[in-house]
Amino acid sequence: MLRVVVSEEGREALPAVDVEGDFVVGSAGDARIRLPEGGPVHVRAADVGAGKTYELGRYRVRVEPAPAGAVAASPQRTESLARELVRAMLGANAAPILEIERGKLAGAKRALAPPESVLVIGRGDEAGWIVDDGDLSRAHAEVRRGWDGARVKDLGSKNGTKVGGKRVAEAELRDGDLLEFGKLAMRFHDPADRRLREPVHTKRTPPAFYVALAIAAAAIAGLVWILTS
């Protein structure tokens, strides 16, 4: 088992993650330790020894043997760390946001505080985001932003909590998810999650290449016509 600590120049290191076996570090979609840019670097457990540091652009990846009893991190944990790195790269306004789409205060937004943080939604004074809506319980649900990602948890509300149209007791949140608390609906926006999910576009062939190809084809066709006439 290996312990991995990722840090970015000028910022505090992110929480360590423990990984079992060999793995890949970099920006590729299948990397076990995902970075916004750089790599891929193939880390072999046999080569790490007492510890090894990899420099990938502005990122520093320290790999060393994990302490006894360490448990391998879940894919959700490493994905969440990747999102936090992307947030640092995107800068201001990169935090996940809840936006009311239907119900009272439609259009209102609330950014989630950095991990570990909890935002309670309800109509009572004990809620962190108070919405005076009769469909809401006093403390209806909580949205937690942790190092394992963002999650919503129903707090025993009368009208329940739905994500994507399905009633849930607790669920992970991804960019674009619709949360419903009775008739009140909120959209979850996560710029970092959206950035990581963007498809990797293949390099396009310049239009000039196709123009040159068409001219060459026409010339060849003309030569064949002259030779066979």
Side-chain angles (χ1 to χ4, degrees):
M1 187 85 68
L2 296 175
R3 173 152 292 182
V4 183
V5 178
V6 180
S7 59
E8 184 180 359
E9 186 176 341
R11 296 179 180 273
E12 292 185 4
L14 294 177
V17 294
D18 297 321
V19 182
E20 189 171 10
D22 302 339
F23 57 92
V24 174
V25 179
S27 60
D30 59 349
R32 185 71 173 88
I33 303 298
R34 185 93 179 269
L35 302 178
E37 56 187 34
V41 171
H42 296 266
V43 179
R44 296 180 65 249
D47 297 337
V48 170
K52 192 170 183 179
T53 299
Y54 301 86
E55 302 285 347
L56 289 85
R58 55 182 163 181
Y59 300 105
R60 186 171 182 267
V61 182
R62 175 68 180 174
V63 183
E64 58 190 30
V71 178
S74 66
Q76 290 82 4
R77 179 66 176 269
T78 53
E79 285 179 12
S80 181
L81 292 180
R83 288 193 289 272
E84 295 305 320
L85 288 172
V86 171
R87 286 189 223 293
M89 182 181 70
L90 294 177
N93 303 318
I97 291 173
L98 290 170
E99 179 179 9
I100 298 178
E101 287 195 349
R102 186 177 69 240
K104 290 188 177 182
L105 303 182
K109 299 178 181 180
R110 180 67 62 93
L112 301 183
E116 298 276 343
S117 64
V118 176
L119 175 65
V120 175
I121 300 167
R123 60 180 176 82
D125 293 339
E126 61 269 42
W129 192 1
I130 301 173
V131 183
D132 185 17
D133 189 307
D135 276 357
L136 288 179
S137 297
R138 294 186 59 82
H140 194 104
E142 68 175 28
V143 176
R144 180 181 298 273
R145 179 182 170 189
W147 290 114
D148 290 327
R151 303 186 67 83
V152 63
K153 179 181 180 181
D154 187 79
L155 298 177
S157 66
K158 178 180 178 181
N159 291 317
T161 297
K162 293 181 180 179
V163 176
K166 297 181 179 179
R167 188 159 180 164
V168 298
E170 185 174 355
E172 181 183 11
L173 296 177
R174 306 307 295 260
D175 179 60
D177 279 346
L178 184 69
L179 292 74
E180 296 175 271
F181 312 112
K183 295 178 182 178
L184 181 72
M186 295 184 181
R187 185 75 62 179
F188 179 73
H189 301 285
D190 189 341
D193 187 35
R194 184 163 57 251
R195 176 67 176 267
L196 285 172
R197 289 172 174 269
E198 287 178 352
V200 178
H201 298 287
T202 56
K203 186 177 180 180
R204 295 183 178 180
T205 305
F209 171 81
Y210 295 108
V211 174
L213 185 62
I215 293 173
I220 293 172
L223 180 60
V224 171
W225 181 82
I226 292 173
L227 294 174
T228 55
S229 298

